[in-house]
Amino acid sequence: MIADAGPDTPLHLSFASVRDGGQAVGAGVLVAERLVLTCAHVVNSALGRGRFVQQTPGHDDTVTVRLPHVAAGRDLTARVVREMWVPPRATARGGDPVVPGSLPYHGDLAVLELAADPPAGAAPAPFLLHHYGNDVIALWASGNPLPTVRAVPRVSAPPWIALDVTGGAQVTEGFSGGPLWDRERQAVVGLVAAVHRAPEPAAPGAPPATMYAISVPAIEAELPTLPPSAVPTARRGVQQLLVALERVLQGRQAVLACEERLAARLGRPSAGPAADLERLVGLAVGVRRGIPELLDLVRDHVPYGGDPYGADRYDPHARAGGYAARDDWERLRRAARAVRPGEFLTTRQRRDLSGLLAYCTRTDPRALLEGVLPHAPELPAVTGLADAVDALEGFGSTAGAPVPPLLQGVVRISADERSAGAFYPAEDLDAWVERVAARCGVDDAAVSQFRADLAAAAPTTPPGGATARINGTDEPAAAPRVQVELLPTATGRRFTYQIWAWADRQSHRLALVRDAEAGSEQVVDDIRRVLRTEVREDPETALVEYFLPSAWLGLEVDSWESCDSDEDGPFAPGITRRVVVRTTERSRESYAGWKQRTAALPHAKRLVLDHRHTDRKVARAQLEVHRDAGTVILCCEPHHHGTLLRQCVQAGVHTVLWHRAEHGAQIARDLLAIVEGTDHTQVPEAVRLERAKAMAEPESASHHGRRLSLLYDAPDHRPPQLAPDAWVLTQP
């Protein structure tokens, strides 16, 4: 049975059901004629082993596979490819076993080789990198389209992608190993690995369930010997590429030789004597990174302006022979970028760079993008240097910038490593840039000049000093942060959560995931653990940020503390740390207001919303009239706080101060006094001191520092990469 033509046909032709006897235990996807990619824990389940067993299955261990949309009742026998067995492990390096229930973990990939050719009609799936905001679907292990899950990628947490489940079936056991299918782009963008179990039944307005998938870059890094994956058929630029290749590959023999070599590189069968220019281009555009491979191969065997079969072999550092030949090569590069704008590097070049980036810890990915792309209207959301490099690869050179953004980024990373005394990997990164630049036609003099300009603009402050270089200026070193993405249950008394750490201008790190429901004391205990193990609190005290859906901004997270269980007494972050509340629910409209209020901050006034403004329309009108107000004081009955907080978020207000119990004219004056004359960056510390003063005066039960709360999403705190709204992730 061949699936009917439709938007998911490529998914159906490649979808595999991994089975234990007659029962489906997981899924997989066909990536080559006889190779099925799945999760290692799915294979373990199919073999009746423990989920996280690391031992490689033996040659006699066979797995039953079906291609349900191609041959529904036909069982296929498969064995694990031993060199492509990557069992789950606790850390990025090493082989420590995974503690059951802990997330995230690494590896968890396996490749199965079918004992015979698959049924007629089966075809390997196309793969692309995921896009934030693009809806994706996942099929259950049986392949039946009814239990389909719809989701949206939310944030990268290498090696995984976190996705918000937006509809369809409930995510249960059996989705693991299955492909994430992007319908709009007609490609697989990841492999389902795990799920965050939402409380049952979910309360109205509760956060969506979270599904985790292994990203395409992680798959490529873990399985370097896996044949390059297919990609959706390219349309734009193909005719330009054909014309450009006709001018560079002159003669039939040149085309035949190039097609044979490219097929060998990509692990695809050659057309042999039947090869022609159209087949050569079709081969290149049908495989991930096939276009960079084609350019690299053509340049290897056809020198600039020389005889393709003469003694003048290619020298990567040689200057162009003639102007006509140079023009032909530039035309070829432009056509290649039109066909695959997001691919600049060959598979080997990208793999070598990934290995070096694993040792780089001094560069903040977001700051890197800002430095390389200072005028970009929107920056992509990135988590980690590998993500940032993938993003830069998609940007072409601009006028007056002979060094492509990708190479600029790697030069900057190298400079940061060298400034910290890490000559490895800095020297190897420089060598990588030199080699790639030469092979891609980038003038080495331009790279040297860019490196010199960067060194001349570097700050004189030594590493570890009080300032850091951001966007070409010296700025005070930012305080470290601990960010808690909190998912309350219906009662608001139990929680599941993720805790992220950010310090020393390094990338955000997912430090802890709690999938089992826990109380507020456990949340605070875990925050203390992350502070002790992940954050070096110098030069300032860490900032603790709770990310909450708008409906749960009333939770008194700023007053939570741990049990009095050790000699130091209970840990109360609201007193010893700056604790603020942030929301994950900003929209395009609210972000527009956020930008306007940010621009008005130097002369902005404070706005008080009191009992006169508890009607939503009145509150909204006040916020519209005072569009330059960046700070709002709430002073009304507590049961109106939720409504007014949501109005403030929708209007783009980034600082809201309120007392959770008291209201009235005196409280309004007290709260205004806290923020009056205070720079917005100092507001969290001012609030912390007021809380501490209230605690230090136990005899004064009416001190306004008690039950004081702050929503703080000011300009030095970018709208979070944790936010479910994927559009927010791309904004400064």
Side-chain angles (χ1 to χ4, degrees):
M1 176 189 70
I2 305 298
D4 294 334
D8 301 330
T9 296
L11 170 65
H12 293 159
L13 298 183
S14 62
F15 184 87
S17 175
V18 181
R19 311 178 73 81
D20 178 10
Q23 180 180 2
V25 296
V29 59
L30 199 66
V31 292
E33 185 179 10
R34 288 193 180 186
L35 299 182
V36 173
L37 175 66
T38 185
C39 286
H41 81 258
V42 170
V43 175
N44 281 333
S45 297
L47 295 175
R49 311 196 309 176
R51 181 186 183 94
F52 297 119
V53 170
Q54 294 187 320
Q55 182 181 1
T56 306
H59 180 74
D60 294 334
D61 292 324
T62 60
V63 177
T64 300
V65 175
R66 285 184 185 176
L67 300 177
H69 298 277
V70 178
R74 179 177 168 184
D75 285 344
L76 307 173
T77 300
R79 289 180 174 83
V80 171
V81 180
R82 295 182 64 85
E83 60 270 23
M84 297 190 203
W85 172 256
V86 186
R89 62 184 188 278
T91 58
R93 300 185 183 90
D96 295 338
V98 176
V99 177
S102 65
L103 298 175
Y105 48 82
H106 296 259
D108 200 11
L109 291 167
V111 176
L112 300 172
E113 183 174 13
L114 300 177
D117 290 342
F127 280 71
L128 287 176
L129 299 182
H130 68 278
H131 274 189
Y132 294 106
N134 275 30
D135 287 334
V136 297
I137 64 169
L139 302 180
W140 192 68
S142 67
N144 190 311
L146 291 179
T148 297
V149 168
R150 299 193 308 274
V152 176
R154 169 160 51 97
V155 63
S156 288
W160 286 0
I161 314 161
L163 303 101
D164 283 327
V165 176
T166 58
Q170 182 181 6
V171 186
T172 59
E173 293 287 341
F175 282 93
S176 292
L180 277 181
W181 178 249
D182 187 323
R183 279 176 165 164
E184 179 181 338
R185 299 165 66 224
Q186 290 287 284
V188 173
V189 296
L191 214 64
V192 178
V195 62
H196 170 92
R197 297 189 179 279
E200 298 179 7
T210 301
M211 183 166 64
Y212 297 98
I214 305 173
S215 67
V216 170
I219 294 170
E220 293 175 341
E222 295 278 11
L223 298 171
T225 58
L226 187 69
S229 58
V231 292
T233 303
R235 296 180 179 87
R236 180 182 177 186
V238 169
Q239 296 303 314
Q240 302 172 50
L241 188 61
L242 285 167
V243 171
L245 280 171
E246 282 180 340
R247 298 182 65 88
V248 176
L249 291 176
Q250 298 180 7
R252 175 172 171 75
Q253 290 304 314
V255 173
L256 290 175
C258 188
E259 193 273 347
E260 182 180 4
R261 295 185 184 105
L262 183 62
R265 278 198 183 193
L266 300 179
R268 297 296 194 272
S270 170
D276 54 21
L277 206 57
E278 284 75 11
R279 285 183 171 85
L280 172 62
V281 170
L283 178 63
V285 301
V287 178
R288 181 160 158 74
R289 298 199 179 275
I291 294 297
E293 295 284 2
L294 173 62
L295 264 62
D296 188 65
L297 189 149
V298 171
R299 189 175 177 92
D300 253 346
H301 296 278
V302 183
Y304 263 163
D307 177 4
Y309 303 100
D312 181 18
R313 305 308 294 166
Y314 166 65
D315 175 4
H317 296 280
R319 298 279 67 81
Y323 289 108
R326 184 185 306 173
D327 289 344
D328 290 343
W329 276 97
E330 291 305 320
R331 185 175 186 177
L332 180 58
R333 289 195 195 93
R334 288 196 300 270
R337 294 294 287 183
V339 174
R340 287 277 180 258
E343 295 181 358
F344 182 82
L345 304 176
T346 67
T347 301
R348 171 61 65 183
Q349 290 166 348
R350 182 65 182 88
R351 191 179 300 152
D352 291 345
L353 179 58
S354 295
L356 294 171
L357 292 178
Y359 294 92
C360 300
T361 59
R362 277 83 178 176
T363 304
D364 176 65
R366 185 75 184 191
L368 177 69
L369 294 184
E370 291 171 343
V372 177
L373 307 169
H375 305 299
E378 294 184 4
L379 292 176
V382 294
T383 303
L385 288 179
D387 264 2
V389 167
D390 285 337
L392 290 175
E393 190 175 2
F395 287 86
S397 298
T398 57
V403 181
L406 171 66
L407 298 186
Q408 290 185 36
V410 179
V411 170
R412 287 175 177 270
I413 296 169
S414 171
D416 288 346
E417 295 296 315
R418 181 174 281 102
S419 68
F423 293 99
Y424 179 82
E427 292 179 348
D428 276 42
L429 286 170
D430 289 342
W432 183 92
V433 169
E434 180 181 357
R435 186 164 180 262
V436 171
R439 297 190 69 82
C440 295
V442 179
D443 196 325
D444 56 357
V447 175
S448 298
Q449 185 62 54
F450 177 79
R451 187 177 285 115
D453 292 344
L454 190 65
T460 56
T461 305
T467 63
R469 193 76 174 174
I470 305 294
N471 288 337
T473 61
D474 291 333
E475 292 187 0
R481 302 180 197 170
V482 172
Q483 301 176 319
V484 186
E485 185 183 20
L486 203 61
L487 304 174
T489 61
T491 64
R493 297 186 181 90
R494 306 285 293 177
F495 313 92
T496 54
Y497 48 92
Q498 300 179 107
I499 301 182
W500 300 69
W502 182 88
D504 301 328
R505 298 206 178 276
Q506 298 179 13
S507 60
H508 286 76
R509 301 186 302 282
L510 183 57
L512 185 147
V513 175
R514 179 76 64 178
D515 273 351
E517 293 179 9
S520 62
E521 292 176 344
Q522 182 64 58
V523 177
V524 175
D525 276 338
D526 283 340
I527 291 173
R528 173 159 52 178
R529 183 185 313 167
V530 171
L531 284 167
R532 287 174 172 173
T533 59
E534 301 286 339
V535 175
R536 186 181 64 190
E537 297 198 53
D538 179 39
E540 293 188 57
T541 300
L543 174 69
V544 177
E545 301 175 320
Y546 284 95
F547 290 91
L548 294 163
S550 293
W552 295 97
L553 289 174
L555 286 174
E556 298 191 35
V557 295
D558 26 57
S559 63
W560 287 355
E561 59 183 41
S562 65
C563 295
D564 189 359
S565 57
D566 57 31
E567 59 185 17
D568 297 328
F571 174 56
I575 306 301
T576 59
R577 304 292 189 278
R578 291 168 294 159
V579 172
V580 301
V581 177
R582 298 177 67 183
T583 179
T584 57
E585 297 182 11
R586 289 204 180 275
S587 63
R588 288 181 181 271
E589 180 184 3
S590 71
Y591 179 70
W594 187 91
K595 287 197 297 185
Q596 182 172 1
R597 295 176 193 278
T598 297
L601 267 179
H603 52 271
K605 296 180 180 180
R606 276 68 175 175
L607 174 66
V608 177
L609 296 181
D610 55 24
H611 64 280
R612 298 169 297 173
H613 311 117
T614 53
D615 182 274
R616 286 183 298 177
K617 291 186 290 185
V618 174
R620 184 66 182 184
Q622 280 286 325
L623 292 167
E624 285 294 319
V625 170
H626 300 280
R627 294 180 67 85
D628 61 341
T631 301
V632 169
I633 305 296
L634 292 189
C635 191
C636 59
E637 293 85 351
H639 63 274
H640 291 300
H641 287 167
T643 298
L644 294 186
L645 284 169
R646 285 192 288 273
Q647 291 298 312
C648 288
V649 169
Q650 186 178 358
V653 177
H654 33 59
T655 303
V656 183
L657 183 63
W658 74 100
H659 195 285
R660 294 189 182 274
E662 302 295 333
H663 60 93
Q666 183 58 49
I667 285 291
R669 286 191 292 269
D670 289 347
L671 300 189
L672 277 171
I674 294 173
V675 299
E676 199 64 45
T678 302
D679 184 82
H680 71 85
T681 60
Q682 300 170 332
V683 170
E685 177 63 13
V687 172
R688 184 189 73 83
L689 289 175
E690 292 300 319
R691 293 175 183 144
K693 289 176 184 176
M695 186 65 68
E697 301 175 12
E699 69 282 355
S700 175
S702 61
H703 192 287
H704 59 252
R706 297 183 185 277
R707 304 187 70 182
L708 198 60
S709 196
L710 176 67
L711 185 151
Y712 188 70
D713 207 1
D716 58 335
H717 290 53
R718 301 182 181 281
Q721 291 187 349
L722 309 176
D725 182 348
W727 183 84
V728 173
L729 303 180
T730 67
Q731 304 307 319

